[in-house]
């Protein structure tokens, strides 16, 4: 086995698993040490992860088919995991709460683990993907997905039954419901802006590549569905004052739509976005 | 409540957020349905897949072209009506909220009732106590308005009033997008044209049905297909010439992702094929004297050899035979010898150039509404940023003389993002809590 970016990424995958376990240990055993340990491990791994993405970019140029590493499912999963970790670390810096990591970092690990099952070769870009919009479109979409993923992780924490004996011990270490609620909202708002930007960049690109800014392609339609769901969630919160458990449930419904947009469309429906499989 | 006129009730219905939420969810569900029912089925395929009864029901509901169906458009229309009525309904209230309450009606009690409120009794006159906080207020908000009232001095200030209008910007962006799509639908067209190399046309085939003539002609000079070393296509390019009134007016190359626009009609590289039916240009070189003959080869039919020494038939062709480049397999029937089949690289003839005659598939679209769409997109992003990153913050500061001391009351509110407001507010209370002697120093 040669030491290339894919190999580094498989190490990164296991490092994220270790970081996730550290955060989970913090939650379960209360030992303070695990919090900073998880953070340090995550930050080092994030640096390696960033390096690996750049390395893969360089490798593609060495093959003479240079392009940004955002062109297939393997590469998008890697960036998805990166975006989740990046977003979570920003949140941890601001709110100084390590426990949330137990619910968010496993998502980054799962994304990379799933990436590990995909073919890893670097292929030249098909003509339709040769565009400067590729980078803008993929980055905005996946930062949006990451925001929604983090909000779904937070929603899970909020929905834990706190009253029960077995959990109440854990609950003492979980962030207050009010904090969770505002974090869920902020991540959804972040995701919504970026999803809007992602759909817009995609739309401009589609106009250039396919001659139509909107074709009701399944991927497009599902991104619109996701957008509509979160638009409804935001209206319900801003005008009707929805909060707490209701927001958490809506956040999970929204994330289910994100997952279908990302994976379901490629697995079940066929369309113009089929190179993302 | 009970004495509303029917008109008010209709307006209330269309202005309600409940309607908006219902429509958003129904539109989401309907859109999902459309991704599971194939949108491009022919009647025959539909019958085979769904049976006669279901098929006629699906046709009745336009399910095979759902996103353009009457009911989907009615849903979109309702959503638009909803957001327009709702925006007009709420606008006066927002305008009122965007202003600071005018000084006359503000009393100390009003300040104490604000979501964020704080008071302290400090030594010194009102003016003494104004000094230490004035700079901080200016920095965190804007230059405060000062008002002398019957009960003391009132300072009013606010920041980010515009953020209350973000939602209106987003809603108007959707109206722009609607107008753009309507203009595109009624004044634009989507069409195809297939052009073989050397061919000229002004006829394009509309996607829906029928043909239209462009006010100019398009000629395909050449089609280029570039490949990666692996053989996968890397670039499709059509070199076009635009001819108007029998005059060449423009030459342009169209590639995927690089369309070309002339007089409002944009050409997109869409597909290509090669035309074996019309044959290939083939150059044959006679080995005996190196004389070259350029031929147009027709497959499926015997071709006469240029020197009439026999005929040949194209049996097969390959773009890259055994990694040695393109080749054509010919069955040669000479007048004197036996028939033989050969892949042509050598022998009596040489395949110099393998130039299949390509035919390009272009889209020719016209969309005069596109700038409304782009404007709508810009407004939507701007509206989102305004809505989510800014909040309208108001701050009131009251200074009430009590003997030699002054009661300082501050009250404030933020319509969103309370956290960032709290930081500013806490800073002010910290200053007011700090040693009052500082303010005395400032006086001297």
């Amino acid at each position: 086995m040669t030491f290339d970016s894919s190999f580094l990424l498989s190490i990164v995958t296991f490092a994220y698993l270790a970081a996730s376990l550290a955060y989970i240990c913090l939650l379960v055993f209360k030992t303070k040490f695990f919090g900073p340990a998880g953070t340090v491990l995550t930050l080092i791994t994030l640096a390696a992860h960033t390096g690996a993405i750049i390395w893969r970019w360089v490798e593609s140029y060495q093959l003479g088919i240079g392009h940004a590493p955002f062109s297939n499912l393997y590469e998008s999963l890697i960036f998805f995991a990166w975006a989740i970790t990046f977003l979570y670390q920003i949140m941890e810096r601001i709110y100084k709460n390590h426990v949330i990591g137990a619910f968010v970092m496993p998502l980054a690990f799962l994304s990379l683990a799933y990436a590990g099952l995909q073919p890893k070769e670097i292929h030249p870009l098909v003509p339709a993907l040769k565009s400067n919009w590729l980078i803008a479109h993929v980055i905005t979409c996946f930062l949006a997905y990451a925001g929604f993923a983090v909000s779904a992780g937070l929603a899970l924490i909020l929905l834990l039954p706190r009253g029960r004996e077995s959990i109440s011990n854990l609950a003492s270490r979980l962030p207050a419901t009010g904090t969770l609620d505002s974090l869920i909202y902020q991540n959804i708002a972040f995701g919504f802006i970026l999803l809007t930007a992602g759909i817009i960049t995609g739309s401009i690109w589609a106009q250039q590549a396919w001659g139509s800014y909107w074709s009701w392609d399944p991927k497009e339609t599902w991104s619109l569905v996701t957008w509509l769901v979160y638009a409804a969630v935001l209206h319900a919160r801003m005008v009707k004052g929805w909060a707490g458990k209701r927001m958490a449930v809506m956040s999970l419904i929204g994330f289910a739509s994100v997952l279908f947009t990302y994976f379901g469309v490629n697995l079940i429906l066929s369309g113009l976005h089929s190179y993302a499989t | 409540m009970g004495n509303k006129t029917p008109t008010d009730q209709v307006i209330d219905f269309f202005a309600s957020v409940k309607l908006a939420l219902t429509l958003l969810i129904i539109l989401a569900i309907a859109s999902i349905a459309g991704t599971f029912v194939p949108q491009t089925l022919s009647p025959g395929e539909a019958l085979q897949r769904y049976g006669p009864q279901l098929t006629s029901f699906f046709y009745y509901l336009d399910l095979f072209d759902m996103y353009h169906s009457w009911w989907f458009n009615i849903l979109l229309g309702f959503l638009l009506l909803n957001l327009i009525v709702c925006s007009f309904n709420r606008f006066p209230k927002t305008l009122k909220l965007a202003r600071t309450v005018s000084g006359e009606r503000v009393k100390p009690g009003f300040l104490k009732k604000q979501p964020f409120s704080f008071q302290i009794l400090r030594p010194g006159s009102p003016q003494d106590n104004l000094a230490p906080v004035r700079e901080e207020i200016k920095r965190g908000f804007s230059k405060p308005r000062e008002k002398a009232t019957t009960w003391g001095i009132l300072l009013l200030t606010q920041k980010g009033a515009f953020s209350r209008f973000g939602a209106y910007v987003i809603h108007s962006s959707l109206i722009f997008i609607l107008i753009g799509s309507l203009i595109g639908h009624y004044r634009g067209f989507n069409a195809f044209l297939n052009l073989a190399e050397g061919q000229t046309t002004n006829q394009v085939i509309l996607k829906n049905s029928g043909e239209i003539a462009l006010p100019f002609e398009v000629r395909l000079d050449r089609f280029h297909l570039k490949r990666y070393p692996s053989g996968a296509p890397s670039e499709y390019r059509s070199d076009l010439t635009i001819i108007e009134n029998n005059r060449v007016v423009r030459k342009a190359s169209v590639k995927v992702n690089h369309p070309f626009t002339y007089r409002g009609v944009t050409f997109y590289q869409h597909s290509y094929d090669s035309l074996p039916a019309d044959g290939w240009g083939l150059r044959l070189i006679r080995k005996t004297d190196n004389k070259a003959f350029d031929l147009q080869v027709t497959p499926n039919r015997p071709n006469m050899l240029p020197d009439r020494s026999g005929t040949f038939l194209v049996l097969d062709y390959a773009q890259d035979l055994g990694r040695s480049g393109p080749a054509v397999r010919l069955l040669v029937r000479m007048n004197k010898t036996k028939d033989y089949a050969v892949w042509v690289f050598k022998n009596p003839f040489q395949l110099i150039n393998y130039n299949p005659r390509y035919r390009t598939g272009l889209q020719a679209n016209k969309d005069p509404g596109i700038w409304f769409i782009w404007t709508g997109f810009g407004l939507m992003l701007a509206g989102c940023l305004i809505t989510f990153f800014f909040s309208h913050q108001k701050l009131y500061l009251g200074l009430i003389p009590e003997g030699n001391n002054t009661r300082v009351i501050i009250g404030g509110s933020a319509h969103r993002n309370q956290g960032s407001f709290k930081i500013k507010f806490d800073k002010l209370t910290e200053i007011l809590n700090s040693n009052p002697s500082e303010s005395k120093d400032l006086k001297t």
Side-chain angles (χ1 to χ4, degrees), chain A residues 214 217-227 256-258 260-262 265 269, chain B residues 28 31-33 35-36:
Chain A
W214 196 261
D217 163 71
K219 195 74 146 189
E220 288 176 357
T221 309
W222 270 93
S223 73
L224 177 69
V225 169
T226 305
W227 192 86
S257 176
V258 169
F260 197 88
T261 310
Y262 188 6
V265 170
L269 311 166
Chain B
S31 301
I32 291 171
T35 63
F36 286 99

PDB file of all heavy atoms in Angstrom, chain A residues 214 217-227 256-258 260-262 265 269, chain B residues 28 31-33 35-36:
ATOM      1  N   TRP A 214     -33.236  26.060 -14.226  1.00  0.00           N
ATOM      2  CA  TRP A 214     -34.003  25.116 -13.412  1.00  0.00           C
ATOM      3  C   TRP A 214     -34.632  24.070 -14.317  1.00  0.00           C
ATOM      4  O   TRP A 214     -35.353  24.417 -15.247  1.00  0.00           O
ATOM      5  CB  TRP A 214     -35.088  25.855 -12.614  1.00  0.00           C
ATOM      6  CG  TRP A 214     -35.619  24.985 -11.512  1.00  0.00           C
ATOM      7  CD1 TRP A 214     -36.759  24.248 -11.530  1.00  0.00           C
ATOM      8  CD2 TRP A 214     -35.013  24.751 -10.244  1.00  0.00           C
ATOM      9  NE1 TRP A 214     -36.893  23.555 -10.344  1.00  0.00           N
ATOM     10  CE2 TRP A 214     -35.837  23.849  -9.536  1.00  0.00           C
ATOM     11  CE3 TRP A 214     -33.827  25.196  -9.628  1.00  0.00           C
ATOM     12  CZ2 TRP A 214     -35.529  23.393  -8.255  1.00  0.00           C
ATOM     13  CZ3 TRP A 214     -33.528  24.743  -8.362  1.00  0.00           C
ATOM     14  CH2 TRP A 214     -34.380  23.864  -7.689  1.00  0.00           C
ATOM     15  N   ASP A 217     -34.772  18.578 -12.322  1.00  0.00           N
ATOM     16  CA  ASP A 217     -33.977  17.373 -12.154  1.00  0.00           C
ATOM     17  C   ASP A 217     -34.183  16.906 -10.698  1.00  0.00           C
ATOM     18  O   ASP A 217     -34.356  17.725  -9.809  1.00  0.00           O
ATOM     19  CB  ASP A 217     -32.516  17.764 -12.420  1.00  0.00           C
ATOM     20  CG  ASP A 217     -31.532  16.752 -11.889  1.00  0.00           C
ATOM     21  OD1 ASP A 217     -31.473  15.675 -12.468  1.00  0.00           O
ATOM     22  OD2 ASP A 217     -30.848  17.055 -10.895  1.00  0.00           O
ATOM     23  N   PRO A 218     -34.198  15.566 -10.452  1.00  0.00           N
ATOM     24  CA  PRO A 218     -34.482  15.106  -9.079  1.00  0.00           C
ATOM     25  C   PRO A 218     -33.609  15.752  -8.002  1.00  0.00           C
ATOM     26  O   PRO A 218     -34.093  16.074  -6.924  1.00  0.00           O
ATOM     27  CB  PRO A 218     -34.213  13.602  -9.164  1.00  0.00           C
ATOM     28  CG  PRO A 218     -34.451  13.251 -10.575  1.00  0.00           C
ATOM     29  CD  PRO A 218     -34.059  14.448 -11.387  1.00  0.00           C
ATOM     30  N   LYS A 219     -32.327  15.952  -8.310  1.00  0.00           N
ATOM     31  CA  LYS A 219     -31.444  16.569  -7.321  1.00  0.00           C
ATOM     32  C   LYS A 219     -31.901  17.995  -7.038  1.00  0.00           C
ATOM     33  O   LYS A 219     -31.977  18.424  -5.888  1.00  0.00           O
ATOM     34  CB  LYS A 219     -30.012  16.564  -7.858  1.00  0.00           C
ATOM     35  CG  LYS A 219     -28.947  16.831  -6.818  1.00  0.00           C
ATOM     36  CD  LYS A 219     -28.733  15.645  -5.920  1.00  0.00           C
ATOM     37  CE  LYS A 219     -27.297  15.498  -5.470  1.00  0.00           C
ATOM     38  NZ  LYS A 219     -27.108  14.216  -4.783  1.00  0.00           N
ATOM     39  N   GLU A 220     -32.196  18.726  -8.101  1.00  0.00           N
ATOM     40  CA  GLU A 220     -32.681  20.099  -7.943  1.00  0.00           C
ATOM     41  C   GLU A 220     -33.959  20.120  -7.136  1.00  0.00           C
ATOM     42  O   GLU A 220     -34.125  20.905  -6.204  1.00  0.00           O
ATOM     43  CB  GLU A 220     -32.959  20.727  -9.318  1.00  0.00           C
ATOM     44  CG  GLU A 220     -31.735  21.067 -10.124  1.00  0.00           C
ATOM     45  CD  GLU A 220     -32.102  21.590 -11.518  1.00  0.00           C
ATOM     46  OE1 GLU A 220     -33.298  21.630 -11.873  1.00  0.00           O
ATOM     47  OE2 GLU A 220     -31.185  21.937 -12.247  1.00  0.00           O
ATOM     48  N   THR A 221     -34.890  19.234  -7.524  1.00  0.00           N
ATOM     49  CA  THR A 221     -36.189  19.215  -6.868  1.00  0.00           C
ATOM     50  C   THR A 221     -36.035  18.906  -5.380  1.00  0.00           C
ATOM     51  O   THR A 221     -36.649  19.562  -4.537  1.00  0.00           O
ATOM     52  CB  THR A 221     -37.105  18.176  -7.528  1.00  0.00           C
ATOM     53  OG1 THR A 221     -37.104  18.411  -8.929  1.00  0.00           O
ATOM     54  CG2 THR A 221     -38.508  18.284  -6.997  1.00  0.00           C
ATOM     55  N   TRP A 222     -35.187  17.934  -5.067  1.00  0.00           N
ATOM     56  CA  TRP A 222     -35.015  17.586  -3.655  1.00  0.00           C
ATOM     57  C   TRP A 222     -34.311  18.685  -2.874  1.00  0.00           C
ATOM     58  O   TRP A 222     -34.589  18.883  -1.696  1.00  0.00           O
ATOM     59  CB  TRP A 222     -34.291  16.246  -3.505  1.00  0.00           C
ATOM     60  CG  TRP A 222     -35.282  15.130  -3.461  1.00  0.00           C
ATOM     61  CD1 TRP A 222     -35.720  14.391  -4.512  1.00  0.00           C
ATOM     62  CD2 TRP A 222     -36.016  14.683  -2.317  1.00  0.00           C
ATOM     63  NE1 TRP A 222     -36.677  13.496  -4.094  1.00  0.00           N
ATOM     64  CE2 TRP A 222     -36.878  13.654  -2.744  1.00  0.00           C
ATOM     65  CE3 TRP A 222     -36.035  15.049  -0.970  1.00  0.00           C
ATOM     66  CZ2 TRP A 222     -37.740  12.985  -1.884  1.00  0.00           C
ATOM     67  CZ3 TRP A 222     -36.892  14.379  -0.108  1.00  0.00           C
ATOM     68  CH2 TRP A 222     -37.731  13.365  -0.562  1.00  0.00           C
ATOM     69  N   SER A 223     -33.408  19.408  -3.519  1.00  0.00           N
ATOM     70  CA  SER A 223     -32.789  20.529  -2.809  1.00  0.00           C
ATOM     71  C   SER A 223     -33.845  21.596  -2.537  1.00  0.00           C
ATOM     72  O   SER A 223     -33.834  22.245  -1.489  1.00  0.00           O
ATOM     73  CB  SER A 223     -31.612  21.104  -3.605  1.00  0.00           C
ATOM     74  OG  SER A 223     -32.082  21.821  -4.718  1.00  0.00           O
ATOM     75  N   LEU A 224     -34.789  21.737  -3.471  1.00  0.00           N
ATOM     76  CA  LEU A 224     -35.890  22.682  -3.257  1.00  0.00           C
ATOM     77  C   LEU A 224     -36.788  22.207  -2.109  1.00  0.00           C
ATOM     78  O   LEU A 224     -37.213  23.004  -1.273  1.00  0.00           O
ATOM     79  CB  LEU A 224     -36.715  22.840  -4.537  1.00  0.00           C
ATOM     80  CG  LEU A 224     -37.934  23.761  -4.405  1.00  0.00           C
ATOM     81  CD1 LEU A 224     -37.500  25.212  -4.222  1.00  0.00           C
ATOM     82  CD2 LEU A 224     -38.862  23.643  -5.597  1.00  0.00           C
ATOM     83  N   VAL A 225     -37.044  20.888  -2.078  1.00  0.00           N
ATOM     84  CA  VAL A 225     -37.856  20.338  -0.985  1.00  0.00           C
ATOM     85  C   VAL A 225     -37.194  20.659   0.361  1.00  0.00           C
ATOM     86  O   VAL A 225     -37.833  21.152   1.289  1.00  0.00           O
ATOM     87  CB  VAL A 225     -38.025  18.807  -1.153  1.00  0.00           C
ATOM     88  CG1 VAL A 225     -38.630  18.181   0.101  1.00  0.00           C
ATOM     89  CG2 VAL A 225     -38.896  18.504  -2.363  1.00  0.00           C
ATOM     90  N   THR A 226     -35.885  20.395   0.438  1.00  0.00           N
ATOM     91  CA  THR A 226     -35.149  20.700   1.671  1.00  0.00           C
ATOM     92  C   THR A 226     -35.272  22.184   2.014  1.00  0.00           C
ATOM     93  O   THR A 226     -35.513  22.555   3.160  1.00  0.00           O
ATOM     94  CB  THR A 226     -33.663  20.327   1.484  1.00  0.00           C
ATOM     95  OG1 THR A 226     -33.596  18.961   1.087  1.00  0.00           O
ATOM     96  CG2 THR A 226     -32.882  20.521   2.768  1.00  0.00           C
ATOM     97  N   TRP A 227     -35.124  23.022   1.005  1.00  0.00           N
ATOM     98  CA  TRP A 227     -35.212  24.469   1.202  1.00  0.00           C
ATOM     99  C   TRP A 227     -36.599  24.843   1.715  1.00  0.00           C
ATOM    100  O   TRP A 227     -36.735  25.654   2.638  1.00  0.00           O
ATOM    101  CB  TRP A 227     -34.904  25.175  -0.130  1.00  0.00           C
ATOM    102  CG  TRP A 227     -34.687  26.653  -0.017  1.00  0.00           C
ATOM    103  CD1 TRP A 227     -33.510  27.281   0.281  1.00  0.00           C
ATOM    104  CD2 TRP A 227     -35.655  27.684  -0.237  1.00  0.00           C
ATOM    105  NE1 TRP A 227     -33.692  28.630   0.281  1.00  0.00           N
ATOM    106  CE2 TRP A 227     -34.996  28.916  -0.034  1.00  0.00           C
ATOM    107  CE3 TRP A 227     -37.007  27.693  -0.569  1.00  0.00           C
ATOM    108  CZ2 TRP A 227     -35.638  30.138  -0.161  1.00  0.00           C
ATOM    109  CZ3 TRP A 227     -37.648  28.912  -0.689  1.00  0.00           C
ATOM    110  CH2 TRP A 227     -36.969  30.118  -0.491  1.00  0.00           C
ATOM    111  N   ALA A 256     -33.480  14.708   7.459  1.00  0.00           N
ATOM    112  CA  ALA A 256     -33.861  13.524   6.670  1.00  0.00           C
ATOM    113  C   ALA A 256     -33.955  13.918   5.197  1.00  0.00           C
ATOM    114  O   ALA A 256     -33.506  13.193   4.305  1.00  0.00           O
ATOM    115  CB  ALA A 256     -35.187  12.960   7.163  1.00  0.00           C
ATOM    116  N   SER A 257     -34.516  15.099   4.946  1.00  0.00           N
ATOM    117  CA  SER A 257     -34.623  15.585   3.573  1.00  0.00           C
ATOM    118  C   SER A 257     -33.240  15.843   2.971  1.00  0.00           C
ATOM    119  O   SER A 257     -32.992  15.556   1.798  1.00  0.00           O
ATOM    120  CB  SER A 257     -35.476  16.854   3.557  1.00  0.00           C
ATOM    121  OG  SER A 257     -35.533  17.395   2.280  1.00  0.00           O
ATOM    122  N   VAL A 258     -32.325  16.370   3.804  1.00  0.00           N
ATOM    123  CA  VAL A 258     -30.946  16.586   3.346  1.00  0.00           C
ATOM    124  C   VAL A 258     -30.315  15.258   2.949  1.00  0.00           C
ATOM    125  O   VAL A 258     -29.714  15.143   1.876  1.00  0.00           O
ATOM    126  CB  VAL A 258     -30.091  17.243   4.457  1.00  0.00           C
ATOM    127  CG1 VAL A 258     -28.614  17.225   4.075  1.00  0.00           C
ATOM    128  CG2 VAL A 258     -30.548  18.663   4.723  1.00  0.00           C
ATOM    129  N   PHE A 260     -31.743  12.548   2.017  1.00  0.00           N
ATOM    130  CA  PHE A 260     -32.296  12.017   0.772  1.00  0.00           C
ATOM    131  C   PHE A 260     -31.768  12.787  -0.429  1.00  0.00           C
ATOM    132  O   PHE A 260     -31.466  12.206  -1.473  1.00  0.00           O
ATOM    133  CB  PHE A 260     -33.826  12.019   0.783  1.00  0.00           C
ATOM    134  CG  PHE A 260     -34.385  11.126  -0.289  1.00  0.00           C
ATOM    135  CD1 PHE A 260     -34.595   9.778  -0.040  1.00  0.00           C
ATOM    136  CD2 PHE A 260     -34.641  11.611  -1.568  1.00  0.00           C
ATOM    137  CE1 PHE A 260     -35.057   8.935  -1.036  1.00  0.00           C
ATOM    138  CE2 PHE A 260     -35.107  10.772  -2.564  1.00  0.00           C
ATOM    139  CZ  PHE A 260     -35.315   9.437  -2.296  1.00  0.00           C
ATOM    140  N   THR A 261     -31.657  14.114  -0.275  1.00  0.00           N
ATOM    141  CA  THR A 261     -31.106  14.926  -1.363  1.00  0.00           C
ATOM    142  C   THR A 261     -29.699  14.454  -1.711  1.00  0.00           C
ATOM    143  O   THR A 261     -29.326  14.346  -2.876  1.00  0.00           O
ATOM    144  CB  THR A 261     -31.060  16.409  -0.964  1.00  0.00           C
ATOM    145  OG1 THR A 261     -32.332  16.786  -0.452  1.00  0.00           O
ATOM    146  CG2 THR A 261     -30.705  17.290  -2.142  1.00  0.00           C
ATOM    147  N   TYR A 262     -28.923  14.158  -0.661  1.00  0.00           N
ATOM    148  CA  TYR A 262     -27.517  13.793  -0.858  1.00  0.00           C
ATOM    149  C   TYR A 262     -27.387  12.364  -1.384  1.00  0.00           C
ATOM    150  O   TYR A 262     -26.774  12.130  -2.430  1.00  0.00           O
ATOM    151  CB  TYR A 262     -26.780  13.965   0.472  1.00  0.00           C
ATOM    152  CG  TYR A 262     -25.277  13.808   0.410  1.00  0.00           C
ATOM    153  CD1 TYR A 262     -24.594  13.655  -0.792  1.00  0.00           C
ATOM    154  CD2 TYR A 262     -24.518  13.834   1.577  1.00  0.00           C
ATOM    155  CE1 TYR A 262     -23.222  13.519  -0.828  1.00  0.00           C
ATOM    156  CE2 TYR A 262     -23.140  13.703   1.549  1.00  0.00           C
ATOM    157  CZ  TYR A 262     -22.499  13.537   0.349  1.00  0.00           C
ATOM    158  OH  TYR A 262     -21.130  13.408   0.324  1.00  0.00           O
ATOM    159  N   VAL A 265     -31.322  10.468  -3.699  1.00  0.00           N
ATOM    160  CA  VAL A 265     -31.521  10.828  -5.105  1.00  0.00           C
ATOM    161  C   VAL A 265     -30.584  10.023  -5.992  1.00  0.00           C
ATOM    162  O   VAL A 265     -30.980   9.511  -7.032  1.00  0.00           O
ATOM    163  CB  VAL A 265     -31.308  12.345  -5.299  1.00  0.00           C
ATOM    164  CG1 VAL A 265     -31.259  12.685  -6.772  1.00  0.00           C
ATOM    165  CG2 VAL A 265     -32.403  13.126  -4.606  1.00  0.00           C
ATOM    166  N   LEU A 269     -33.111   7.626  -7.620  1.00  0.00           N
ATOM    167  CA  LEU A 269     -33.587   8.367  -8.788  1.00  0.00           C
ATOM    168  C   LEU A 269     -32.417   8.676  -9.706  1.00  0.00           C
ATOM    169  O   LEU A 269     -31.296   8.819  -9.255  1.00  0.00           O
ATOM    170  CB  LEU A 269     -34.235   9.675  -8.324  1.00  0.00           C
ATOM    171  CG  LEU A 269     -35.254   9.536  -7.197  1.00  0.00           C
ATOM    172  CD1 LEU A 269     -35.566  10.893  -6.606  1.00  0.00           C
ATOM    173  CD2 LEU A 269     -36.509   8.881  -7.696  1.00  0.00           C
TER     174      LEU A 269
ATOM    175  N   ALA B  28     -43.731  21.058  -0.912  1.00  0.00           N
ATOM    176  CA  ALA B  28     -42.631  20.114  -0.698  1.00  0.00           C
ATOM    177  C   ALA B  28     -43.102  18.696  -1.017  1.00  0.00           C
ATOM    178  O   ALA B  28     -42.420  17.959  -1.745  1.00  0.00           O
ATOM    179  CB  ALA B  28     -42.126  20.207   0.742  1.00  0.00           C
ATOM    180  N   SER B  31     -43.672  18.231  -4.734  1.00  0.00           N
ATOM    181  CA  SER B  31     -42.400  18.152  -5.459  1.00  0.00           C
ATOM    182  C   SER B  31     -41.788  16.780  -5.302  1.00  0.00           C
ATOM    183  O   SER B  31     -41.206  16.226  -6.239  1.00  0.00           O
ATOM    184  CB  SER B  31     -41.424  19.210  -4.941  1.00  0.00           C
ATOM    185  OG  SER B  31     -41.971  20.491  -5.088  1.00  0.00           O
ATOM    186  N   ILE B  32     -41.904  16.228  -4.083  1.00  0.00           N
ATOM    187  CA  ILE B  32     -41.371  14.884  -3.847  1.00  0.00           C
ATOM    188  C   ILE B  32     -42.076  13.882  -4.765  1.00  0.00           C
ATOM    189  O   ILE B  32     -41.434  13.059  -5.424  1.00  0.00           O
ATOM    190  CB  ILE B  32     -41.556  14.472  -2.373  1.00  0.00           C
ATOM    191  CG1 ILE B  32     -40.651  15.320  -1.471  1.00  0.00           C
ATOM    192  CG2 ILE B  32     -41.248  12.993  -2.181  1.00  0.00           C
ATOM    193  CD1 ILE B  32     -40.906  15.145   0.008  1.00  0.00           C
ATOM    194  N   ALA B  33     -43.412  13.988  -4.834  1.00  0.00           N
ATOM    195  CA  ALA B  33     -44.177  13.065  -5.679  1.00  0.00           C
ATOM    196  C   ALA B  33     -43.641  13.081  -7.109  1.00  0.00           C
ATOM    197  O   ALA B  33     -43.490  12.040  -7.740  1.00  0.00           O
ATOM    198  CB  ALA B  33     -45.652  13.433  -5.648  1.00  0.00           C
ATOM    199  N   THR B  35     -40.730  13.540  -8.153  1.00  0.00           N
ATOM    200  CA  THR B  35     -39.441  12.891  -8.390  1.00  0.00           C
ATOM    201  C   THR B  35     -39.601  11.376  -8.471  1.00  0.00           C
ATOM    202  O   THR B  35     -38.683  10.683  -8.885  1.00  0.00           O
ATOM    203  CB  THR B  35     -38.407  13.226  -7.291  1.00  0.00           C
ATOM    204  OG1 THR B  35     -38.864  12.719  -6.033  1.00  0.00           O
ATOM    205  CG2 THR B  35     -38.186  14.715  -7.186  1.00  0.00           C
ATOM    206  N   PHE B  36     -40.750  10.868  -8.030  1.00  0.00           N
ATOM    207  CA  PHE B  36     -40.945   9.420  -8.070  1.00  0.00           C
ATOM    208  C   PHE B  36     -41.797   8.977  -9.273  1.00  0.00           C
ATOM    209  O   PHE B  36     -41.741   7.823  -9.668  1.00  0.00           O
ATOM    210  CB  PHE B  36     -41.557   8.911  -6.765  1.00  0.00           C
ATOM    211  CG  PHE B  36     -40.555   8.896  -5.647  1.00  0.00           C
ATOM    212  CD1 PHE B  36     -40.505   9.919  -4.715  1.00  0.00           C
ATOM    213  CD2 PHE B  36     -39.631   7.868  -5.551  1.00  0.00           C
ATOM    214  CE1 PHE B  36     -39.560   9.908  -3.702  1.00  0.00           C
ATOM    215  CE2 PHE B  36     -38.679   7.844  -4.538  1.00  0.00           C
ATOM    216  CZ  PHE B  36     -38.648   8.878  -3.607  1.00  0.00           C
TER     217      PHE B  36
END
